[in-house]
Amino acid sequence: MDSTPSGDVARGSLGEIARVFLRLGLTAFGGPAAHIAMMEDELVRRRRWLPREEFLDLLGATHLIPGPNSTELAIHLGHRRAGWPGLLVAGACFIVPAMLLTLAAAWAYVRFGSLPQADALLYGVKPVILAVVLQALWGLGKMALTTAPRVVVAVGSAVASALGANELLILAVAGGALAAWSHVRSSPASSSPLLLTPFALHGVTAATATAATPFSLGGLFLFFLKVGSVLFGSGYVLLAFLRADLVERWGWLTEAQLLDAVAVGQLTPGPVFTTATFIGYLVGGVPGAGLATLGIFLPAFVFVALSGPLVPRIRRSRTAGAVLDGVNAASLALMSVVTWQLGRAALVDGWTVALAVVGSVLLLRWRVNSAWLVLGGAAVGLLRAW
């Protein structure tokens, strides 16, 4: 039985899915917003795996469940393209390159006592990533922000995010606002219980907190399994979770080690949650790195497998569809705030401004693959440093 939501787009081979997501896992620098933009460029604009409307719905669905949004989006896209085998292949191929790079960084950190220098590499990568994200925001915004209420919700969400409001609260208010507007404009429709499922799961898993124990590989796996099961939000939220237990409660890491682990997760391509790989290696060697990585990412596969088939049903419900529209609008607003922050950090001189402009022209005029842009930006950064 075909498990894809619709039959109008041909199913792909597992080899195709593996090649696409291995390349994304090796070149997707810049955090979740950049990852999402690169997936939209590669899979919606270039390969036409699915329409932009469905891409937006899958992106919105990732915000309704715990875990890393861009990784969950990759898993959704794999399922959309090739069913359950595609779900596993896409997720694994997006995660494994980042895991191996982070493992190499952890080995170098333990051996030499410091992080490998990545400033030159990121100097050239960040400006072209900014161009990729802006292009995705433009395309997705034209699709998602088609009514005045959606635009108002997006603007309000961006302002709230810039003022420091909690991401989950912004998404909840945005979804609720458009659902309420939908009820005002038409006869009330019955609320869909489907949207309660992810939050109910969040409540159940949050109650199973790990008790304080001395270090063991089993305890390390269970800790990261808990983190992956209950964590909403950005890498900064991940930092707070890790600090509370690993540094303050158990003393498995020092403050400096934790900050270096989070920095490596930000500097390497692919999921930021590969911070777990670095920490696992520091406290438990290669087995610890493997178990920590498995623990933090395993819940994402489970949550996507449970929620993925519900996305089309959510869209068919008037109330649930309005909530999803609100979440989509707020998601783009959050991406826009992150893009502004990325721009402030990336555009530091004339060279970086030129890279951003050239990257934008190549994307918009000649539709150059974003992976080649990232590699070109990295080469420019390294050449300038030399």
Side-chain angles (χ1 to χ4, degrees), residues 3-4 11-12 14 17 21 43 49 58 72-91 304:
S3 58
T4 55
R11 290 165 65 90
L14 294 180
I17 292 171
F21 283 101
L43 305 181
W49 279 15
L58 295 178
E72 288 168 344
L73 181 59
I75 298 170
H76 269 302
L77 292 167
H79 177 257
R80 173 65 180 79
R81 186 64 173 170
W84 301 109
L87 177 150
L88 295 173
V89 170
V304 170

Side-chain angles (χ1 to χ4, degrees), residues 59-334:
L59 174 59
T62 67
H63 287 92
L64 300 175
I65 55 178
N69 297 131
S70 58
T71 304
E72 288 168 344
L73 181 59
I75 298 170
H76 269 302
L77 292 167
H79 177 257
R80 173 65 180 79
R81 186 64 173 170
W84 301 109
L87 177 150
L88 295 173
V89 170
C93 289
F94 186 61
I95 294 167
V96 167
M99 172 192 170
L100 294 177
L101 289 172
T102 305
L103 186 61
W107 173 84
Y109 181 83
V110 170
R111 182 174 179 86
F112 302 112
S114 62
L115 291 172
Q117 295 299 315
D119 290 345
L121 181 74
L122 292 180
Y123 173 88
V125 167
K126 284 182 178 180
V128 297
I129 285 293
L130 181 65
V132 174
V133 177
L134 286 172
Q135 178 213 33
L137 276 173
W138 177 254
L140 295 173
K142 288 193 297 183
M143 188 62 61
L145 307 180
T146 55
T147 66
R150 295 183 191 180
V151 173
V152 170
V153 165
V155 172
S157 298
V159 171
S161 177
L163 294 176
N166 180 271
E167 293 176 2
L168 185 57
L169 178 62
I170 292 172
L171 294 165
V173 171
L178 277 191
W181 176 254
S182 175
H183 276 274
V184 168
R185 294 181 65 247
S186 61
S187 58
S190 58
S191 297
S192 169
L194 302 178
L195 290 179
L196 299 179
T197 303
F199 295 100
L201 288 170
H202 169 63
V204 170
T205 52
T208 59
T210 308
T213 56
F215 173 75
S216 67
L217 289 175
L220 180 72
F221 172 76
L222 290 176
F223 169 72
F224 280 106
L225 185 69
K226 178 194 75 172
V227 172
S229 298
V230 303
L231 184 63
F232 287 88
S234 66
Y236 299 108
V237 181
L238 175 65
L239 175 61
F241 263 66
L242 299 180
R243 186 176 184 277
D245 281 339
L246 297 180
V247 177
E248 295 184 342
R249 189 175 172 192
W250 300 337
W252 289 1
L253 292 177
T254 66
E255 194 88 45
Q257 286 175 325
L258 176 61
L259 291 174
D260 287 342
V262 174
V264 167
Q266 299 278 352
L267 293 176
T268 52
V272 175
F273 275 30
T274 50
T275 292
T277 307
F278 191 94
I279 292 172
Y281 185 84
L282 290 188
V283 299
V286 173
L291 287 172
T293 306
L294 178 64
I296 202 167
F297 285 109
L298 182 60
F301 288 89
V302 175
F303 286 134
V304 170
L306 292 175
S307 65
L310 303 179
V311 175
R313 296 172 60 189
I314 291 173
R315 175 52 68 191
R316 287 194 294 267
S317 164
R318 181 187 299 273
T319 301
V323 171
L324 193 55
D325 286 338
V327 170
N328 289 343
S331 300
L332 294 179
L334 294 176

Side-chain angles (χ1 to χ4, degrees), residues 308-382:
L310 303 179
V311 175
R313 296 172 60 189
I314 291 173
R315 175 52 68 191
R316 287 194 294 267
S317 164
R318 181 187 299 273
T319 301
V323 171
L324 193 55
D325 286 338
V327 170
N328 289 343
S331 300
L332 294 179
L334 294 176
M335 279 184 65
S336 69
V337 174
V338 171
T339 304
W340 170 255
Q341 295 167 345
L342 176 63
R344 294 178 62 187
L347 305 180
V348 295
D349 56 24
W351 280 95
T352 51
V353 172
L355 279 171
V357 172
V358 170
S360 298
V361 171
L362 291 174
L363 278 171
L364 296 174
R365 178 66 180 84
W366 287 286
R367 299 171 64 94
V368 173
N369 191 302
S370 55
W372 289 113
L373 283 181
V374 170
L375 293 175
V380 170
L382 292 174

